[in-house]
Amino acid sequence: TQLLEQSPQFLSIQEGENLTVYCNSSSVFSSLQWYRQEPGEGPVLLVTVVTGGEVKKLKRLTFQFGDARKDSSLHITAAQPGDTGLYLCAGVGSNYQLIWGAGTKLIIKP
Amino acid sequence: EAGVAQSPRYKIIEKRQSVAFWCNPISGHATLYWYQQILGQGPKLLIQFQNNGVVDDSQLPKDRFSAERLKGVDSTLKIQPAKLEDSAVYLCASSPRRTGELFFGEGSRLTVL
């Protein structure tokens, strides 16, 4: 059974600070997706990483896919209150199954 | 382009009652998913359709949950009878392909009393 462990589960920081969220697995994924979900809404895709070692930037968000395609990280620089939400990673595993992390609840205090 | 539509947004029922949720995916999306999400947690796949065929329903509690996707377009998820632990948000998502980006609806929040 493929698992995707996401950490931390909860993070509360001040506006302007930096943070990193991790998704780790012992399994290889063909690609990995990051979503953000706001209260009362469905998750919205932020980025998909496909190639081992790939780095993608979305304004102040930097996403990295591990060289072995078993792990990924999301780094936010100078966090803002608008970044508050539940961050979810999801890896495309064997048989095209989408394996979800448990989520990181992020709160940015003004 | 219209997004994924779900209804109802909210539903409160007594335990042992039944409930049905409806989903209309983005036009042309062959893959449709139903997820259960407990507050603050990651979504748990209940069932995945490819067109009108079931691809994965291994985590669907088949003694009480059922789902169908007639004509490969919209879908319904039914719970009968409901239990207290079924209180959750039920998310519908669609994708143009099995490994593609998922587009989610706003979800249907179920409270079982």
Side-chain angles (χ1 to χ4, degrees):
Chain A
T1 303
Q2 292 182 292
L3 295 174
L4 197 52
E5 294 183 358
Q6 195 169 340
S7 63
Q9 284 186 298
F10 179 78
L11 190 57
S12 178
I13 62 173
Q14 292 293 137
E15 180 178 2
E17 294 183 357
N18 303 330
L19 66 109
T20 302
V21 177
Y22 300 93
C23 275
N24 295 296
S25 177
S26 58
S27 304
V28 175
F29 296 105
S30 58
S31 63
L32 193 138
Q33 303 166 1
W34 284 92
Y35 292 80
R36 179 170 67 207
Q37 184 178 21
E38 299 187 17
E41 304 290 332
V44 175
L45 182 75
L46 296 174
V47 77
T48 300
V49 286
V50 180
T51 306
E54 182 177 8
V55 177
K56 281 191 173 180
K57 293 191 175 183
L58 187 66
K59 297 183 180 178
R60 294 174 294 99
L61 279 60
T62 302
F63 304 85
Q64 185 163 7
F65 203 13
D67 292 341
R69 292 185 285 126
K70 293 182 179 181
D71 54 86
S72 182
S73 63
L74 157 61
H75 183 78
I76 301 179
T77 303
Q80 298 179 0
D83 296 327
T84 292
L86 180 68
Y87 288 80
L88 296 158
C89 59
V92 178
S94 57
N95 297 323
Y96 306 108
Q97 279 188 324
L98 198 58
I99 309 300
W100 289 85
T104 295
K105 186 172 182 179
L106 176 62
I107 295 177
I108 310 299
K109 296 175 284 188
Chain B
E1 177 181 76
V4 176
Q6 287 191 248
S7 67
R9 284 296 309 274
Y10 306 93
K11 189 74 176 179
I12 301 174
I13 61 174
E14 301 274 336
K15 60 183 179 183
R16 291 187 289 274
Q17 286 186 325
S18 63
V19 63
F21 302 111
W22 173 82
C23 172
N24 190 11
I26 293 173
S27 177
H29 281 194
T31 310
L32 185 147
Y33 306 80
W34 281 103
Y35 284 95
Q36 181 192 61
Q37 187 178 33
I38 305 296
L39 186 64
Q41 297 181 14
K44 171 190 169 185
L45 179 68
L46 293 175
I47 190 167
Q48 177 185 346
F49 293 95
Q50 184 72 16
N51 297 307
N52 60 347
V54 175
V55 173
D56 185 354
D57 64 355
S58 57
Q59 298 189 84
L60 186 73
K62 298 180 185 64
D63 57 333
R64 298 184 301 106
F65 286 64
S66 64
E68 59 182 8
R69 189 182 185 194
L70 299 176
K71 301 180 181 179
V73 182
D74 56 353
S75 176
T76 55
L77 175 71
K78 296 179 182 178
I79 307 174
Q80 183 180 10
K83 292 185 175 181
L84 296 177
E85 58 261 36
D86 297 332
S87 294
V89 175
Y90 291 86
L91 293 166
C92 178
S94 69
S95 179
R97 58 190 182 279
R98 286 181 72 180
T99 60
E101 166 188 0
L102 268 63
F103 294 82
F104 285 86
E106 293 180 310
S108 295
R109 180 179 295 278
L110 173 66
T111 301
V112 182
L113 303 175

